[in-house]
Amino acid sequence: MKRTIIIDPGHGGKDPGAVAPNGVPEKQFTLAGALLLSTNLIWRGYYTVLTRKGDTYVSLKERVKIAEENRGDLFISLHCNSYDDEEANGFEVCIYSRESPAYFLAHQIKSRLMLNTPLKPRGIIERPDLYILRKTSMPAVLVELGFLSNYRDLEILSYPEAFSRIIAQIADSIIYFGATRWSTT
């Protein structure tokens, strides 16, 4: 059975998200990452649905509706962090709760990014307040790819080979999650 992965590039349109010191908005990083992730997963036999395919605004409610209407097996949202302290750096993986089936996927993402990319791990964070994690019926994770306010993270995210490697590690995590969780169904 071909599984459906819902890929949610954060922000878009009138909502730029965080803006890097060089003026590049988060919405560009998240869309580029979502398109790479989608291509990677399609090549590996998955069906993907993006909540946006261009620079358009999609409400949180609409993102969840897209996921539910397409009967996603997994929901992954891509974002970037920013903070007033330019020393803040690294990636985070957010989930609804540690009891969620998404915790296993979050652990895989954290482990693979920690071992195979130069990004610093900040951990798996419970975020029951996040609408998309709270309202989706399928396992859902939100990945903060790095801090746009941190020069090193921004450099890593801006370098095509490094960015592609980060996204590939997320795809590998999804493949492993699927192989261990969906192998009998």
Side-chain angles (χ1 to χ4, degrees), residues 2-173:
K2 200 170 189 179
R3 297 295 179 161
T4 301
I5 311 301
I6 308 299
I7 304 172
D8 176 45
H11 307 284
K14 67 182 181 181
D15 177 11
V19 179
N22 64 2
V24 178
E26 176 181 359
K27 66 182 181 176
Q28 286 183 349
F29 287 99
T30 61
L31 183 58
L35 293 170
L36 278 172
L37 183 58
S38 177
T39 300
N40 191 313
L41 292 172
I42 288 168
W43 276 100
R44 295 165 90 174
Y46 284 80
Y47 180 68
T48 65
V49 174
L50 278 74
T51 59
R52 67 180 179 94
K53 294 178 183 169
D55 187 17
T56 56
Y57 176 77
V58 181
S59 72
L60 295 176
K61 186 176 183 179
E62 184 64 23
R63 292 169 195 260
V64 171
K65 183 179 177 189
I66 290 166
E68 297 299 329
E69 285 178 350
N70 285 281
R71 300 183 347 174
D73 293 294
L74 186 68
F75 183 96
I76 183 156
S77 188
L78 301 177
H79 287 264
C80 298
N81 261 326
S82 184
Y83 192 65
D84 291 338
D85 178 2
E86 60 189 49
E87 295 299 312
N89 67 336
F91 70 90
E92 299 173 346
V93 185
C94 302
I95 55 173
Y96 180 76
S97 82
R98 292 194 183 273
E99 285 75 43
S100 160
Y103 178 74
F104 180 77
L105 174 60
H107 179 72
Q108 288 303 310
I109 293 170
K110 177 186 165 230
S111 297
R112 288 177 188 272
L113 289 178
M114 185 174 67
L115 294 173
N116 299 301
T117 73
L119 293 170
K120 173 187 164 197
R122 293 175 57 89
I124 299 170
I125 300 168
E126 289 182 291
R127 293 291 308 270
D129 58 312
L130 294 179
Y131 187 87
I132 57 171
L133 298 181
R134 189 174 72 244
K135 295 292 186 175
T136 50
S137 63
M138 71 275 319
V141 297
L142 184 148
V143 181
E144 295 279 4
L145 298 168
F147 280 78
L148 297 183
S149 53
N150 178 274
Y151 175 77
R152 183 172 182 272
D153 280 8
L154 178 58
E155 186 176 50
I156 292 166
L157 295 174
S158 299
Y159 187 64
E161 287 81 6
F163 190 68
S164 293
R165 183 149 182 85
I166 291 164
I167 298 303
Q169 295 308 308
I170 294 170
D172 287 350
S173 300

